[in-house]
Amino acid sequence: MKRLPFIAGNWKMNKTVEESLDLVRGLKVSLQGIEDVEVAIAPPFTALYAVSQELKGSSIHLAGQNLFWEEKGAFTGEISPVMLKEIHCRYAIIGHSERRQYFGETDETVNRRIKAALKQGLKVIFCVGETLEEREKGINFLVAERQIEGGLKDIGETAMQSLVVAYEPVWAIGTGKTATPRQAEEAHQFIRQKIRFLYSPKIAENLRIQYGGSVTPENIKSLMAEEDIDGALVGGTSLNAESFSRIVRFKEM
Ligand code: PGA
C-alpha cells in the first residue's frame, strides 16, 4: 500500500493573528476538495487558537512548531503538549534544525519532547538533517543516524505509528538550494533502512518521510516522484495560499 502524501506548512515566526486568519481563509478555498493528500499547517503559537477556530470542519490539520516535555509548571515561555491538544493540534514539529541551531536543542531534548507529545496523543513531525559542513565532510549519513537513534530512544513500535520523519538538509532551508531528488531519495532510503533495522519492515514501510528545504511548486513534482519521498515540510512557500496550494496539488501538475 502506497503511503498517503503529507504536505505540511511551517510558518515559523511569521504572521500575526490577522494575517494568519487571512492565509487560512485563502487555504480553505484553494484546498477545497483535496482528499488524497494530507495537509497540516503550523502557525506561530499566538495564532494557533484563532486558526483552530477558523479550521473547524476543515480537513486541514493544525500543528505546533515546538513544545516542552512537562505538562505544566514553572517553565516560563514554554508550551505543553496538553495545551496544544486542547486547541485541536494534531501534530507537533519537533527537532527542527532552527531549534537545534539557535535554541540549544539536542538529540536528548528532542527525544524528551517527542515522548511527551506522543504520550498526550499528538502526532509528531520529527526533523533530522545535516549541515553543509557535515555534508562536505561526508558524514551526512552518520549525522542522520545519530539524530534518529538519539531522537527515537525508547520509543516503541506502537508510538512509531504516530510519527512522521522530515529530512531537512540545513543547507537547503531558506536558501533556494533544494537537494536534488536523487540526494533527497538517498537520504530517505537511508532513514527508512535505519527504521527497518531499529523497528521492523512493517514500521519502516508505513513510515512517512517528508523532504524539507526550499520546496516550491516548481520542484515538488520531481521530489514526489521518488519512491521514498512521501511529502514535504514547506517553510517560505507555505506563507502564501496560492503557492502552498500548488504544492499540495502537485498531482494535478
Ligand atoms: P524552507 O524551510 O521551505 O523555507 O526552505 C523549510 C523548513 O525549514 O521547514
Side-chain angles (χ1 to χ4, degrees):
M1 192 191 66
K2 187 60 188 161
R3 299 170 288 268
L4 180 70
F6 180 25
I7 308 281
N10 173 12
W11 297 3
K12 307 192 180 181
M13 197 175 74
N14 293 291
K15 306 287 180 192
T16 62
V17 176
E18 275 316 307
E19 290 165 350
S20 296
L21 289 172
D22 271 355
L23 177 48
V24 148
R25 288 180 191 126
L27 287 173
K28 280 193 346 193
V29 175
S30 55
L31 292 178
Q32 204 147 32
I34 284 280
E35 274 170 7
D36 49 359
V37 176
E38 183 178 359
V39 181
I41 52 172
F45 286 137
T46 45
L48 276 177
Y49 179 69
V51 169
S52 81
Q53 297 298 301
E54 186 63 39
L55 281 180
K56 274 189 183 154
S58 149
S59 63
I60 303 171
H61 295 135
L62 198 57
Q65 294 180 16
N66 187 27
L67 49 70
F68 191 58
W69 54 78
E70 296 290 345
E71 281 176 32
K72 61 178 178 180
F75 303 102
T76 303
E78 296 299 315
I79 300 281
S80 79
V82 178
M83 293 168 176
L84 292 183
K85 267 302 268 192
E86 184 196 20
I87 55 168
H88 310 293
C89 280
R90 186 178 179 96
Y91 286 93
I93 300 174
I94 298 181
H96 190 280
S97 64
E98 285 149 18
R99 300 293 322 165
R100 296 177 189 258
Q101 205 176 340
Y102 307 130
F103 303 101
E105 196 82 72
T106 63
D107 294 331
E108 200 229 317
T109 58
V110 167
N111 178 246
R112 294 181 79 168
R113 286 177 217 274
I114 294 179
K115 281 192 212 152
L118 293 170
K119 189 171 159 221
Q120 293 301 332
L122 285 161
K123 292 174 184 280
V124 167
I125 300 177
F126 164 40
C127 305
V128 299
E130 79 284 357
T131 62
L132 182 60
E133 196 190 345
E134 289 161 343
R135 176 162 281 262
E136 282 171 349
K137 279 196 199 144
I139 57 167
N140 41 314
F141 288 143
L142 272 176
V143 170
E145 185 163 40
R146 191 207 71 216
Q147 291 173 334
I148 286 177
E149 282 175 358
L152 297 182
K153 191 163 176 283
D154 301 327
I155 288 169
E157 291 224 358
T158 313
M160 280 301 286
Q161 292 165 14
S162 299
L163 185 132
V164 173
V165 173
Y167 168 66
E168 300 203 300
V170 178
W171 47 272
I173 296 179
T175 56
K177 237 172 139 182
T178 330
T180 63
R182 196 60 244 152
Q183 282 172 323
E185 172 63 14
E186 253 175 37
H188 285 222
Q189 272 177 10
F190 177 82
I191 292 166
R192 202 177 300 286
Q193 185 61 33
K194 186 75 206 165
I195 297 295
R196 195 171 290 128
F197 176 78
L198 290 174
Y199 293 92
S200 68
K202 188 160 179 275
I203 295 284
E205 191 51 36
N206 291 337
L207 175 75
R208 290 185 295 176
I209 309 178
Q210 297 175 313
Y211 166 78
S214 299
V215 173
T216 64
E218 286 69 40
N219 59 29
I220 183 69
K221 195 155 179 146
S222 59
L223 287 161
M224 291 303 291
E226 296 291 340
E227 181 60 32
D228 291 284
I229 301 183
D230 307 307
L233 182 54
V234 186
T237 316
S238 72
L239 297 174
N240 173 283
E242 201 256 342
S243 52
F244 185 64
S245 320
R246 280 170 62 208
I247 293 179
V248 173
R249 293 184 180 278
F250 69 94
K251 290 184 185 168
E252 298 164 25
M253 284 193 266

